[in-house]
Amino acid sequence: MNPLKAPLHIQILVALIAGAIIGVLVNPGDVEFPEPTRVEIEQFEGHIHVTELAKAENGEERPVFPTLHLTLDQFVQRYPFVEIPDGDNLQAIDQSIAVTDQKFRVFEDSTGISVSYTRKYNDNPLLTNDHFNSRAELAHKYPLFLATYDGYSTSLSRTVTIVAKWVGDLFLSLLKMVTIPLIVSSLITGVTGLGGTGRLGSMFSKTLGYYVVTSFLAITTGIIMVNIIRPGVGAVIPGAGETTHLGTDQSLPGIFAGLVNQMVPANPVAALANGEFLSIITFSILFAIFILRAGDAARETLTNFFSAFFEAIMGLTMFVIHLAPIGVLAFMTYATASQGLDIFLTLAWYMLTVFLALLVHATVTMPLLLKFVAGRSPWEYFRALSPALMTAFSTASSNGTLPLTMTCVEKNAGVSNRTSSFVLPLGATINMDGTALYEAVAVLFIAQATAGFELSLSTQIIVAVTALLASVGAAGIPHAGLVMMAIVLQAVGLPLDAQGVIIAVDRVLDMCRTTVNVWSDSCGCAVIEKLTSEENTPITETA
Ligand code: ASP
């Protein structure tokens, strides 16, 4: 059989597996690194600054990683084996530390150089990561790692990773190229196809209801799982002390106001140019409503124009989708080539909790809704959606996957364009079950690992509500959920720098939660189609 003639989902599956194998083969692995010779501890204005030093090739002592700025509590938790300097004044204490299992990893892709550094003190694993734009920046900050980087920079692994990321990003750009025209033409065609604004209101309220209910079901699953497995109990979470760039100024009112502002674009052309989904959705819906209300001639012209536009852009989308196996191959190679096994082992319980909770939501909750509310066979529906789900998994972007999701839902699962054009673009932006679940699990994991933090029921309720808001506010792009986590951490008063360690494994978890996000949006189409089916028979327009 000609492999290029195989069905798309088979091609994508083969690409997914091949990419994973290539990535594992070229994975650079960890490099053993000489122990830091000294740790310098300074107490300064209620904070403790910790600097680990080691000897560079020329014999000079240089910092291994940036100085950590810790509160007293954080210090005791992270360095229980190091004596606390007493007194309020600045003082330096030199102390040698016993480090075991010291590993250093470096990899480079088209966005720059990433490094991670894992070591164990008295069996307590600690992890630090950083990212640089150039070799010069690495040389400036951590000259100790330069030799390792230079060894890596001529390797096959580096070339494969850079090329894979570049090809993957090109595929994502192609998808993004069709996404905005697809949303506009599909929404306008969908809303004008409804024939009346009364149905729109009903569709809107049911869709929002679905988003909220499924997100809360996902969060509840996550919270139950984290309370059963308790991955954070006894874990030592190192903060890189450097995570403040992760959008930490996100307050809840700020997020809300931002969402509302986005819904009312002052300049729809600018919104289109900047790819602001919520603005584009509002404008397209309003425009479509007023097409319906326009005079016969105008309504007919515009309806015909947008359905012709939609047909053409759908054709282009189908063409781009045929390239999905190449994009998936590239992204999988990149993902597996750039992850180190050590990091996974350090955070194994945490990752398992997120993974199991996502699995329960995707394979129990969603299928039950599909079967009993939508009246569809979950297995058939899953098969219909599999190309979109595998693309979501490898790209970690709901927005990027949207063209595939729309095509699969309409062409493979037989959902009407009226429903999918409404439920999917809005869902890609605001309905993120996987992200909501992930926010709740990650924050409760950090809470469990933070000494003295009381995890009461009310705290868990606050986490649930803010996790929902954070998922609504997160964009459908890679790592958006991680950035939004700051608002959940802030709401319950947890240290933001605890995020430092979970960044290292975010890509893999992002791939899993994005798949669940897209799966929930797709199931939403079947559910909303069913709930509005009686309204979908043509009605005579009343005056
Ligand atoms: N990457 C996710 C998405 O696109 C968002 C997230 O980071 O949770 O759906």
Side-chain angles (χ1 to χ4, degrees):
M1 184 174 70
N2 179 350
L4 293 175
K5 292 267 159 58
L8 187 65
H9 66 276
I10 301 289
Q11 288 184 36
I12 297 182
L13 186 65
V14 170
L16 203 113
I17 297 168
I21 294 173
I22 298 172
V24 168
L25 290 179
V26 300
N27 191 305
D30 299 310
V31 181
E32 300 287 340
F33 188 76
E35 286 191 8
T37 39
R38 224 152 48 83
V39 56
E40 254 177 28
I41 303 155
E42 289 178 344
Q43 183 161 172
F44 191 63
E45 290 179 350
H47 274 78
I48 299 188
H49 298 184
V50 186
T51 313
E52 289 176 23
L53 300 147
K55 283 211 166 62
E57 269 175 7
N58 61 4
E60 244 176 64
E61 246 183 1
R62 303 296 296 261
V64 174
F65 250 81
T67 301
L68 298 175
H69 297 196
L70 306 172
T71 61
L72 199 61
D73 279 354
Q74 290 169 339
F75 178 79
V76 174
Q77 196 199 355
R78 286 166 202 183
Y79 295 88
F81 43 86
V82 178
E83 234 174 81
I84 306 170
D86 45 41
D88 283 338
N89 300 326
L90 178 73
Q91 53 172 295
I93 293 179
D94 292 350
Q95 180 155 350
S96 58
I97 45 172
V99 184
T100 51
D101 285 346
Q102 179 133 245
K103 298 264 168 54
F104 175 68
R105 253 181 89 75
V106 58
F107 83 92
E108 190 168 8
D109 61 30
S110 47
T111 66
I113 306 167
S114 296
V115 293
S116 67
Y117 177 44
T118 351
R119 64 270 197 216
K120 276 189 180 167
Y121 307 97
N122 292 352
D123 280 340
N124 291 322
L126 274 176
L127 187 96
T128 327
N129 346 282
D130 214 337
H131 190 82
F132 315 96
N133 295 319
S134 63
R135 180 186 183 277
E137 209 181 318
L138 174 73
H140 175 68
K141 276 177 105 173
Y142 313 115
L144 289 165
F145 294 146
L146 213 52
T148 314
Y149 171 73
D150 287 341
Y152 164 78
S153 67
T154 50
S155 64
L156 173 72
S157 165
R158 174 178 178 268
T159 315
V160 172
T161 316
I162 293 179
V163 172
K165 178 83 166 85
W166 178 69
V167 173
D169 283 344
L170 271 182
F171 169 63
L172 214 48
S173 297
L174 274 177
L175 283 173
K176 285 182 187 156
M177 176 181 87
V178 293
T179 302
I180 304 294
L182 189 65
I183 294 180
V184 173
S185 58
S186 157
L187 255 178
I188 293 180
T189 315
V191 173
T192 49
L194 284 173
T197 46
R199 287 168 172 184
L200 185 66
S202 147
M203 174 99 91
F204 191 65
S205 51
K206 283 176 179 150
T207 305
L208 284 192
Y210 171 85
Y211 293 163
V212 173
V213 169
T214 54
S215 294
F216 267 121
L217 286 174
I219 292 171
T220 311
T221 310
I223 291 182
I224 292 176
M225 207 59 95
V226 89
N227 279 297
I228 296 175
I229 301 182
R230 302 172 73 77
V233 175
V236 176
I237 301 190
E242 285 270 303
T243 51
T244 37
H245 60 278
L246 282 170
T248 49
D249 55 341
Q250 319 239 19
S251 63
L252 273 184
I255 293 279
F256 253 142
L259 279 175
V260 174
N261 285 345
Q262 272 185 47
M263 283 178 197
V264 188
N267 181 347
V269 179
L272 282 171
N274 296 329
E276 290 156 9
F277 271 34
L278 284 182
S279 309
I280 296 170
I281 291 169
T282 317
F283 183 75
S284 304
I285 294 177
L286 285 175
F287 192 61
I289 290 173
F290 285 91
I291 289 179
L292 280 174
R293 298 204 168 165
D296 287 349
R299 188 174 59 232
E300 204 172 313
T301 312
L302 286 172
T303 313
N304 288 342
F305 170 77
F306 280 105
S307 51
F309 191 133
F310 179 54
E311 195 181 317
I313 202 75
M314 202 66 187
L316 178 55
T317 306
M318 296 300 288
F319 166 72
V320 173
I321 285 173
H322 280 114
L323 302 174
I326 300 174
V328 168
L329 177 81
F331 270 116
M332 283 309 290
T333 304
Y334 163 67
T336 39
S338 57
Q339 298 285 340
L341 208 59
D342 239 46
I343 295 170
F344 292 151
L345 294 180
T346 313
L347 291 168
W349 285 112
Y350 160 68
M351 295 183 72
L352 190 76
T353 312
V354 176
F355 185 70
L356 282 181
L358 286 174
L359 199 69
V360 169
H361 188 69
T363 61
V364 179
T365 314
M366 283 294 137
L368 285 175
L369 281 177
L370 272 178
K371 179 117 194 105
F372 295 106
V373 182
R376 311 272 307 223
S377 150
W379 176 241
E380 291 298 316
Y381 205 74
F382 169 77
R383 277 178 50 127
L385 262 299
S386 57
L389 298 176
M390 286 188 279
T391 307
F393 181 73
S394 53
T395 59
S397 167
S398 310
N399 285 5
T401 312
L402 189 61
L404 266 116
T405 321
M406 279 188 136
T407 316
C408 292
V409 162
E410 288 177 27
K411 301 229 180 315
N412 300 356
V415 172
S416 73
N417 170 253
R418 275 192 288 243
T419 308
S420 75
S421 70
F422 191 80
V423 177
L424 290 179
L426 203 58
T429 323
I430 64 176
N431 180 45
M432 297 196 176
D433 292 10
T435 303
L437 180 156
Y438 165 75
E439 303 283 334
V441 173
V443 169
L444 293 180
F445 165 71
I446 291 171
Q448 285 173 349
T450 305
F453 188 85
E454 205 204 325
L455 206 57
S456 61
L457 186 64
S458 59
T459 311
Q460 304 212 22
I461 292 173
I462 296 176
V463 168
V465 175
T466 45
L468 175 75
L469 293 175
S471 73
V472 169
I477 54 172
H479 301 300
L482 189 70
V483 179
M484 279 293 167
M485 194 187 295
I487 68 165
V488 191
L489 288 170
Q490 263 178 0
V492 290
L494 279 165
L496 298 171
D497 68 348
Q499 268 188 316
V501 66
I502 56 179
I503 295 175
V505 293
D506 194 60
R507 180 77 195 187
V508 181
L509 295 180
D510 196 5
M511 290 160 77
C512 300
R513 65 182 187 255
T514 307
T515 313
V516 174
N517 291 344
V518 169
W519 178 228
S520 166
D521 292 342
S522 315
C523 295
C525 289
V527 170
I528 302 299
E529 177 103 324
K530 177 77 180 181
L531 293 181
T532 55
S533 60
E534 64 285 1
E535 300 159 19
N536 277 342
T537 43
I539 50 161
T540 43
E541 191 79 24
T542 45

